[in-house]
DNA sequence: GAGAGATTGTTTGGATACGAACAAAAAGTA
DNA sequence: TACTTTTTGTTCGTATCCAAACAATCTCTC
């Protein structure tokens, strides 16, 4: 009733609270653990890797997308970062203030804004990417070697389905 | 260079940008797809299920934890919801304004605050949980039946490792 | 039982995060 | 050419979200 509960305690409490109802517990476990994992990993990487560079998780993702393509339209960066256009405007304001990204109008289409990386932004990613990948390796190491590709495939399939459901 | 990219295009672009460097691409794929999936599923469920009830994702998670235990200490709710104490204070303010949760001081320990559900909160969850679970089933359906438990296990292991790394 | 130390929830300040409304520009239509 | 429609990035308002500072309370030690 009081104090902290272990995941196992919580799951059995959930089962007893939902006893008798037609609930798909397997699917519930997959989805809820998807969020638990994403949340835990995100907080972990934010504290260990990103905090010392004054980067939020989203700022890093945006920086990553910008680094991958070097020059990219705003709407494309937002979509690939998984955030809304409105959010991207704010994040780019932060990244620009930190001196990592640039913004310029497209000559061909006056509506578009092209996002680019500064030399500092490229240098930062040059150091950050290997460090980040080292942590990714440690995290994925808890999954048996032969099942990592399968895991990534399943996650891709879930993403595709969720995005398709939003049309 | 311009326009939107498919996930496949992005991955090959990443591979070419990182060519020659000692990068663990398998682990990178697992972690990045973990976030893509969590993000896509969260946005999907927020729009299809939660928006019509004026609930944010976090508000629903907090409501869910409160429903599971009925009475719970603030620090416990925060931990199980995967958010900070500071965030929970704000979310509870919103949920209290909506009439779904209650807050009261503990008699045994004056520092503690006990979170509870109102009748409206319980009624809401009674309707929301089956609807939510239906969507969870649809999402998990893209994973072969025999591999869902395995998937949940792997996600649990990743969570455990990430949390343990933060001590 | 008195003071040091630890624990808990809130407040503060700053950075996301989104939908809706908006202005500017391009594309389509007649 | 004029009008309408569509597309794009920003602004606005509101709601998270966190670390750090804070006040209140409890615990521990002597």
């Amino acid at each position: 009733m009081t104090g902290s509960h272990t995941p196992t305690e919580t799951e059995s409490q959930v089962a007893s609270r939902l006893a008798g109802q037609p609930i798909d517990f397997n699917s519930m476990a997959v989805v809820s653990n998807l969020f638990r994992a994403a949340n835990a990993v995100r907080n972990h990487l934010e504290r260990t890797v990103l905090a010392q560079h004054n980067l939020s998780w989203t700022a890093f993702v945006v920086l990553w997308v910008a680094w991958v393509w070097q020059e990219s339209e705003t709407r494309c960066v937002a979509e690939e970062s998984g955030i809304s256009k409105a959010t991207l405007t704010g994040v780019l304001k932060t990244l620009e203030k930190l001196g990592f990204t640039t913004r310029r109008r497209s000559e061909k289409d006056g509506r578009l804004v092209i996002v680019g990386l500064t030399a500092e932004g490229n240098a930062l990613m040059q150091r950050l990417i290997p460090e980040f990948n080292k942590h990714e390796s440690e995290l994925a190491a808890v999954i048996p070697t032969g099942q990592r590709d399968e895991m990534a495939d399943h996650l891709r399939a879930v993403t595709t389905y969720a995005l398709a459901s939003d049309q």
Side-chain angles (χ1 to χ4, degrees), chain A:
Chain A
M1 199 84 80
T2 57
S4 288
H5 312 280
T6 65
T8 311
E9 278 175 354
T10 301
E11 288 199 25
S12 73
Q13 173 75 7
V14 168
S16 97
R17 294 276 291 140
L18 289 171
Q21 293 192 52
I23 295 290
D24 180 351
F25 287 101
N26 281 76
S27 299
M28 179 182 281
V30 170
V31 174
S32 66
N33 280 296
L34 172 66
F35 288 104
R36 253 188 280 263
N39 224 325
V41 171
R42 175 182 162 145
N43 287 338
H44 171 58
L45 292 175
E46 267 181 339
R47 278 195 274 264
T48 55
V49 184
L50 268 30
Q52 56 191 304
H53 298 284
N54 281 315
L55 288 177
S56 71
W57 177 265
T58 304
F60 173 73
V61 172
V62 168
L63 215 47
W64 166 260
V65 172
W67 178 84
V68 169
W69 298 105
Q70 292 293 311
E71 294 259 292
S72 210
E73 300 166 12
T74 298
R75 101 191 116 98
C76 180
V77 175
E79 191 184 335
E80 292 194 41
S81 301
I83 60 177
S84 69
K85 301 178 302 173
T87 300
L88 181 59
T89 298
V91 174
L92 282 180
K93 210 173 286 181
T94 302
L95 285 173
E96 224 169 345
K97 198 165 58 186
L98 291 170
F100 294 139
T101 58
T102 56
R103 248 192 303 205
R104 63 173 178 80
R105 281 272 164 203
S106 167
E107 299 89 5
K108 308 212 171 186
D109 190 332
R111 295 169 299 182
L112 303 179
V113 169
I114 310 296
V115 179
L117 240 65
T118 63
E120 287 81 12
N122 272 307
L124 175 67
M125 292 306 278
Q126 206 74 24
R127 279 185 300 139
L128 221 45
I129 288 173
E131 189 183 349
F132 208 83
N133 187 243
K134 207 184 73 186
H135 286 272
E136 289 174 329
S137 282
E138 287 173 11
L139 284 161
V142 304
I143 303 169
T145 318
Q147 295 175 41
R148 282 174 214 160
D149 286 344
E150 200 178 75
M151 177 93 165
D153 282 340
H154 292 338
L155 290 170
R156 255 187 288 264
V158 170
T159 306
T160 302
Y161 179 83
L163 292 178
S165 300
D166 296 339
Q167 276 111 26

